[in-house]
Amino acid sequence: MNPALCSPRNIIIPRSSEGDDNIPLERGHAFMIIQTKEISKKFGEIIALDKVDFSVETGEVLVIIGPSGSGKSTLLRCLNGLENVDSGEITIDGIKLDKDKRSIHKVREELGMVFQEFNLFPHLSVLGNLCLAQETVRKRSKPDAEKIALELLRKVGLMEKKDSFPNQLSGGQQQRVAIARALAMNPKIMLFDEPTSALDPEMIGEVLEVMKNLAREGMTMLVVTHEIGFAREVAKRIIFMDQGKIIEEGKTEDILNSPQNPRTIAFLSKVLK
């Protein structure tokens, strides 16, 4: 087995391309693994995203903060092709995401996503949860899938739970399994949608520690969270969203210590208390 399969580290090899649609985007010498151009999304009369522009460099950790209903989760779902944008463009690792199922499939091969809820299969063991997609989507053999799964369970501190079922685990343990399952697909980018919001306070730390280790290893990460301490420690940049728009973005220390927009100031004055 290729040893690289066991590593969730973010190793980017730019794609070759015959057309302009799949040319990697660069800013200076940095590879822009994610880029959006004026993406908008409505649900009925509700504007969920309003001409959102941003980019993410390879290996960057970007934290997205903002009040409930500001469009943060919708943004992640659009990046993963779970929701279609009404207008604008999304490019992931040189692949332009559109409504074509082939491009959505290609983009999803590059992304791992961890939701608020754990979404583990209740009828499968922890090991089974980590192996299923590897065998059906990545077409790995059962021994190869199990080897990768066990390595990742060791990484998230749950080797002893490999034969347990989800209902035998705490919330924090289930979320760590969900992270390991996403990493088993060798994503180049990890999306986290408020991964600690459904956890009891004493379980939050164990999940955040796994995420911090991923960041230290160079994984490209987009994290929607209210955990400002995590953002301060790990994020390179922060985006503040409200009413479907990016209100302010910048370096983590600038946003947290000296925000410029009155709406950002008002939000942080409440969450930093």
Side-chain angles (χ1 to χ4, degrees):
M1 186 184 69
N2 183 352
L5 290 177
C6 290
S7 174
R9 292 180 63 121
N10 190 35
I11 302 172
I12 306 300
I13 302 175
R15 299 172 180 275
S16 60
S17 173
E18 296 179 359
D20 291 336
D21 286 349
N22 291 335
I23 296 175
L25 299 162
E26 296 185 7
R27 180 192 295 153
H29 297 294
F31 177 57
M32 295 293 104
I33 196 166
I34 298 176
Q35 179 125 356
T36 72
K37 295 181 180 179
E38 294 195 337
I39 59 172
S40 296
K41 174 71 178 178
K42 291 177 68 176
F43 295 103
E45 297 301 313
I46 298 173
I47 300 174
L49 297 174
D50 189 2
K51 296 182 178 180
V52 172
D53 281 304
F54 75 99
S55 59
V56 180
E57 297 178 2
T58 300
E60 182 178 12
V61 178
L62 175 67
V63 165
I64 305 172
I65 61 174
S68 298
S70 59
K72 307 182 301 295
S73 295
T74 300
L75 177 57
L76 293 193
R77 292 177 64 84
C78 288
L79 293 177
N80 201 28
L82 295 172
E83 299 284 354
N84 293 321
V85 297
D86 297 326
S87 60
E89 293 182 358
I90 297 173
T91 304
I92 309 285
D93 194 26
I95 305 167
K96 187 174 289 186
L97 181 63
D98 53 36
K99 296 180 181 180
D100 181 77
K101 290 183 179 180
R102 289 172 297 180
S103 72
I104 293 173
H105 179 70
K106 286 182 180 179
V107 164
R108 285 179 179 166
E109 287 182 344
E110 312 296 343
L111 297 172
M113 188 159 181
V114 177
F115 299 86
Q116 297 177 34
E117 301 298 329
F118 320 123
N119 295 324
L120 300 177
F121 294 110
H123 64 291
L124 295 179
S125 68
V126 166
L127 188 62
N129 267 279
L130 265 68
C131 289
L132 179 62
Q134 292 190 69
E135 295 176 39
T136 57
V137 178
R138 291 295 193 191
K139 306 301 181 185
R140 292 172 185 158
S141 67
K142 186 177 180 65
D144 282 355
E146 288 186 350
K147 183 174 182 179
I148 292 168
L150 291 173
E151 177 64 28
L152 289 168
L153 286 175
R154 186 177 295 109
K155 185 182 186 70
V156 300
L158 289 174
M159 266 291 289
E160 76 282 0
K161 299 293 185 181
K162 64 183 177 67
D163 296 320
S164 300
F165 286 82
N167 65 358
Q168 298 172 314
L169 304 178
S170 69
Q173 290 171 335
Q174 290 187 62
Q175 193 63 294
R176 282 188 281 160
V177 172
I179 293 172
R181 181 176 62 178
L183 291 172
M185 303 302 286
N186 289 98
K188 293 181 178 178
I189 305 161
M190 286 289 290
L191 309 178
F192 293 89
D193 186 9
E194 298 194 30
T196 61
S197 64
L199 301 179
D200 292 333
E202 65 268 22
M203 297 177 185
I204 291 173
E206 63 191 57
V207 173
L208 292 180
E209 191 58 37
V210 171
M211 295 169 63
K212 290 175 186 177
N213 288 336
L214 288 177
R216 295 184 191 110
E217 293 174 356
M219 175 64 75
T220 305
M221 297 165 58
L222 272 72
V223 185
V224 170
T225 185
H226 294 295
E227 298 292 336
I228 301 300
F230 169 83
R232 190 185 297 277
E233 182 176 347
V234 176
K236 179 180 179 180
R237 287 189 301 133
I238 290 179
I239 283 176
F240 172 68
M241 292 186 68
D242 192 23
Q243 297 183 343
K245 296 181 179 181
I246 293 179
I247 303 301
E248 189 169 356
E249 66 176 301
K251 294 180 180 180
T252 298
E253 59 270 23
D254 293 339
I255 296 295
L256 296 183
N257 297 333
S258 54
Q260 301 301 304
N261 188 281
R263 184 66 188 93
T264 314
I265 295 171
F267 176 81
L268 289 174
S269 69
K270 297 176 182 177
V271 301
L272 290 176
K273 285 183 178 180

